[in-house]
Amino acid sequence: MTENASAAEPLAADSAIAVVGMSGRFPGAPDLDTYWKNLLGGLCSVTDFTEQELIADGADPQEVRGRDYVPAKGHLADADRFDAELFGFNRSEAAALDPQHRLLLQTAWSALEDAGRSPRGGTARTGVYVGGGPTEHMLAAQTDPRLAASIGALQVRILTDREFLAPWISYRLGLQGPSLTVQTACSTSLTAVHLAVQSLLLGECDTALAGGVAVDTVRKRGYVHQQGGIYSPDGRCRPFDERAGGTVPGNGVGVVVLRRLSDALADNDPIRAVIRGSAVTNDGATKVGFTAPGVDQQTAAIVEAWAAAGLDPADAQYLEAHGTATALGDRIEAAAASAAFKGALGTGRIGIGSVKSNIGHLDAAAGVAALIKSVLMLEHATLVPNADAGRPHPELGFDDSPFHLIERPAAWPEPEHGPRRSGVSSVGIGGTNVHVVLEEAPRRTGAEAPDAQGAAEVLLLSARTREDLSALAGRLAGALRAAGAPSLADTAYTLHQGRTPMAVRGYVRAADRAGAAELLAELASGGGAVGLGGPDPLGEAWLAGEPVVREGGGRRVSLPSYPFAGESHGAYRLGPVAPVEEQPEQGSGFADLEQGVRALLAEALGLADADDPEMTYFAAGGDSLTAVHLVGCLRDDFDLDVPITLFLEQLTLHEMARRIVAAGEGDDSLDALLSEFEAE
């Protein structure tokens, strides 16, 4: 223990940040429960592809059969699936929307639900701080003239460029706090967490979403190993290991929900861990090259973060390192961390590891994957190993350092003074270094009260489809049967306060968790399960779509989030650019012209046709940007000058087509367009 005895310092609730919700999808793990099981088992979730798999998914056969091709990656399954309708995108928009945007929207939704907060619960001051990497889809979509001709060049950019990752979340979820897309290469998502922390402490927002996503391609891909490069020759990443040979690319997405600790305690939020401090630095010119890491500013980031926490780095029991397993990167990081944690030099008592051994290097999502791993370890009071951990590399000097490499799962002993604490580091190409100080959640008395005997509760569920409702009921049944399940009162409170009401609804009424789980399982299998004597007035009002007011209190708890089951929307791939097909010459008759306009409307809105007489422009997913695109197409393709105000009216597509043809001429009202933007 250090001389300043800082480990015994009390937790300052007004300067600490609570992690109240989390969600993520990582290689081999569609949810965080599976992620934790994989980490606990020391499992490497990097996928080894066969030659047939790669070629069938569009890889170049000549490259795949090359001597230096490594058929391995931290692959994210079903990365092209998206519940477009839930988020208000039509089919054309959903197909154009970059997979990173799709995944981040769904993960942000799930993280808010994990925090016990309705994803569309109002206009509270909620900030968004996220980032992503470059994608094959974005490059292909932005260079495809056919797509630009179909939905408009500006719309293509807005749907694919990573600078719009944060604004799409704010827009679709109605969040009115700061909305920043962050880019610091490999340290992007942990930098986003740091910025979110600062924003909360400054009072710019009261809740913040922070994280990142990396899906360079949804297809099965390996990589080409180059001697002296950063990638491993055998498809395995072994940070700080004597067998370390480089990193392995991977895809994933993660989001955490943050609140000031004082607010989280006051609101009975489900606190999963606490951020005591964070810091960010840059190496500047003090390194051998632009892509090389530097010792001094990595050390500074760690020291400044622990100083911001009012603690000494030596108070840590674990360090989740960046850990790329490259010769230069690991050596510099070990030297920088040893200098920062010098109060524990020679003790070897601080465990060290890197999640890259399990899932590969997730680029912009690497930092949040590491942070979530560390939060889970604190929650479970368990240290997890590097996957396939071996002996430390002798050149790192761990024998005389503060560190020991975690080789197998072990209980995380409670420190003699103070709570369990860890540091999380992330380093970006270009020199941006980030460090976050984590602490286990404060103990709360009476947090897990048993179910009151005979006190019946109504559990309200809703989903977009009947299938989703069944899946949700099944998940909730499993959660209530699990060890440490929340009380029935807290479950009912969270479902009522922390979920967005949808069209397909169901409910059960029970007096204890076991009874509720049984009824939920019946609901999951297609039954109408209500329970305890028949229909309940609150539940029946819920089924009728009426507003319901639940009597009785409770606290927000972590429950299963929405079971997204959207269809595959694919992804654009790079290839030869096809020429834009010329528009066929339009017929001269009024009927032919109207039919051509209907076809244009259908194409822009992603409809098979525009023949539904009841379908309106807005119901089909039309908006102001689509209107701007259509005005241009009508002028260029049909020689029709149509006022944009026409698209701001509640018209069916049939009536709109007739009015367009009849209008013929009109002014392009910029004022109307600006008004429409304001209205949105």
Side-chain angles (χ1 to χ4, degrees):
M1 190 60 59
T2 56
E3 290 183 358
N4 64 11
S6 59
E9 280 197 23
L11 184 62
D14 58 346
S15 63
I17 301 298
V19 180
V20 298
M22 305 191 304
S23 181
R25 287 180 55 188
F26 303 109
D31 53 56
L32 295 189
D33 286 342
T34 308
Y35 188 47
W36 173 246
K37 291 174 185 175
N38 293 347
L39 293 171
L40 190 62
L43 183 67
C44 176
S45 297
V46 172
T47 302
D48 294 311
F49 304 114
T50 66
E51 180 180 303
Q52 291 75 20
E53 285 179 311
L54 291 164
I55 294 173
D57 215 9
D60 181 353
Q62 186 173 352
E63 182 179 63
V64 168
R65 292 166 182 150
R67 183 185 61 183
D68 297 322
Y69 191 83
V70 182
K73 186 178 184 178
H75 180 65
L76 191 65
D78 296 326
D80 61 345
R81 300 184 74 86
F82 180 53
D83 203 328
E85 188 172 333
L86 181 61
F87 290 94
F89 291 94
N90 64 42
R91 294 187 64 83
S92 290
E93 291 170 331
L97 191 67
D98 192 283
Q100 288 192 153
H101 288 72
R102 304 172 193 163
L103 288 168
L104 204 52
L105 278 165
Q106 294 184 158
T107 306
W109 179 293
S110 295
L112 284 167
E113 287 195 332
D114 185 66
R117 296 187 172 271
S118 169
R120 290 182 178 143
T123 55
R125 298 196 315 155
T126 299
V128 181
Y129 302 82
V130 295
T135 72
E136 177 188 54
H137 175 100
M138 179 191 72
L139 295 172
Q142 292 189 7
T143 54
D144 184 353
R146 293 172 302 181
L147 183 60
S150 173
I151 65 172
L154 179 58
Q155 188 80 322
V156 171
R157 184 182 168 212
I158 289 173
L159 291 167
T160 60
D161 202 302
R162 54 182 167 168
E163 70 179 292
F164 297 105
L165 285 167
W168 270 122
I169 295 173
S170 298
Y171 177 61
R172 290 303 186 191
L173 300 185
L175 310 178
Q176 296 184 344
S179 189
L180 277 67
T181 299
V182 182
Q183 295 300 154
T184 62
C186 320
S187 59
T188 288
S189 54
L190 205 61
T191 301
V193 170
H194 167 75
L195 293 174
V197 166
Q198 297 304 308
S199 184
L200 287 163
L201 294 177
L202 289 170
E204 295 175 336
C205 59
D206 299 320
T207 302
L209 299 175
V213 59
V215 183
D216 60 333
T217 177
V218 301
R219 285 170 250 287
K220 298 179 175 69
R221 289 290 185 272
Y223 59 90
V224 177
H225 171 256
Q226 295 177 322
Q227 191 67 32
I230 65 170
Y231 290 122
S232 166
D234 65 356
R236 293 294 179 270
C237 182
R238 303 181 179 91
F240 310 113
D241 196 292
E242 64 179 353
R243 299 163 296 165
T247 196
V248 177
N251 290 161
V253 56
V255 172
V256 294
V257 182
L258 308 177
R259 302 194 75 214
R260 289 181 288 273
L261 179 61
S262 54
D263 292 341
L265 289 169
D267 291 345
N268 276 324
D269 287 332
I271 301 172
R272 306 192 68 157
V274 174
I275 296 176
R276 288 292 304 268
S278 64
V280 60
T281 65
N282 190 277
D283 296 325
T286 62
K287 53 185 181 178
V288 298
F290 181 78
T291 61
V295 173
D296 293 345
Q297 290 306 307
Q298 280 193 41
T299 301
I302 298 171
V303 171
E304 289 174 19
W306 285 83
L311 302 167
D312 189 289
D315 295 332
Q317 299 95 46
Y318 178 77
L319 171 64
E320 175 65 17
H322 188 63
T324 57
T326 60
L328 181 62
D330 278 9
R331 190 167 67 248
I332 286 177
E333 187 170 13
S338 293
F341 292 86
K342 59 185 177 182
L345 273 175
T347 65
R349 63 175 178 76
I350 300 177
I352 190 171
S354 170
V355 76
K356 291 178 182 62
S357 67
N358 304 90
I359 58 177
H361 188 347
L362 268 52
D363 190 51
V368 73
L371 183 78
I372 290 174
K373 170 191 171 182
S374 297
V375 171
L376 291 170
M377 288 199 300
L378 287 167
E379 281 190 314
H380 293 275
T382 302
L383 297 167
V384 298
N386 275 359
D388 189 30
R391 291 182 297 182
H393 200 293
E395 292 184 8
L396 301 180
F398 273 11
D399 290 343
D400 299 317
S401 80
F403 308 111
H404 68 275
L405 194 62
I406 304 294
E407 298 178 2
R408 59 185 61 86
W412 188 333
E414 186 170 0
E416 184 179 349
H417 301 288
R420 297 174 179 86
R421 294 185 177 120
S422 68
V424 183
S425 289
S426 194
V427 179
I429 286 180
T432 299
N433 313 294
V434 196
H435 189 81
V436 171
V437 179
L438 275 180
E439 185 171 287
E440 65 182 325
R443 291 180 175 86
R444 302 164 75 176
T445 58
E448 294 295 340
D451 291 332
Q453 292 298 316
E457 292 286 351
V458 179
L459 307 186
L460 307 175
L461 286 78
S462 71
R464 191 178 64 81
T465 68
R466 177 60 57 184
E467 292 76 16
D468 287 354
L469 184 69
S470 295
L472 183 60
R475 287 186 180 187
L476 187 57
L480 291 178
R481 289 178 177 133
S487 72
L488 204 58
D490 289 343
T491 300
Y493 177 81
T494 301
L495 290 173
H496 180 253
Q497 296 287 328
R499 296 296 184 266
T500 296
M502 299 185 200
V504 181
R505 301 185 176 193
Y507 76 94
V508 302
R509 187 169 184 266
D512 55 42
R513 285 180 292 233
E518 185 176 342
L519 289 166
L520 287 164
E522 181 186 331
L523 188 63
S525 63
V530 173
L532 284 186
D536 178 87
L538 181 73
E540 293 303 306
W542 173 252
L543 293 182
E546 300 171 7
V548 296
V549 177
R550 175 185 175 272
E551 295 183 0
R555 66 187 188 96
R556 293 182 177 88
V557 291
S558 179
L559 296 174
S561 59
Y562 194 82
F564 295 110
E567 63 185 280
S568 170
H569 287 275
Y572 287 88
R573 71 170 68 196
L574 291 169
V577 178
V580 181
E581 296 180 6
E582 292 187 6
Q583 291 286 340
E585 186 175 343
Q586 302 299 325
S588 57
F590 187 94
D592 289 340
L593 185 56
E594 183 179 327
Q595 192 60 39
V597 170
R598 278 199 208 172
L600 175 64
L601 292 172
E603 180 184 31
L605 296 170
L607 305 173
D609 55 56
D611 290 339
D612 183 348
E614 303 299 324
M615 177 66 71
T616 67
Y617 173 73
F618 290 109
D623 57 19
S624 54
L625 278 178
T626 307
V628 172
H629 169 66
L630 285 167
V631 167
C633 289
L634 289 166
R635 183 179 57 247
D636 296 341
D637 299 344
F638 297 92
D639 198 25
L640 293 174
D641 288 320
V642 178
I644 201 166
T645 50
L646 185 63
F647 294 92
L648 310 183
E649 301 179 36
Q650 283 288 355
L651 299 174
T652 66
L653 296 180
H654 280 203
E655 179 62 22
M656 181 170 283
R658 283 193 292 270
R659 294 269 295 273
I660 286 171
V661 173
E665 296 181 355
D667 65 325
D668 186 51
S669 172
L670 181 59
D671 288 340
L673 176 59
L674 292 175
S675 297
E676 211 278 341
F677 270 121
E678 277 189 8
E680 287 193 354

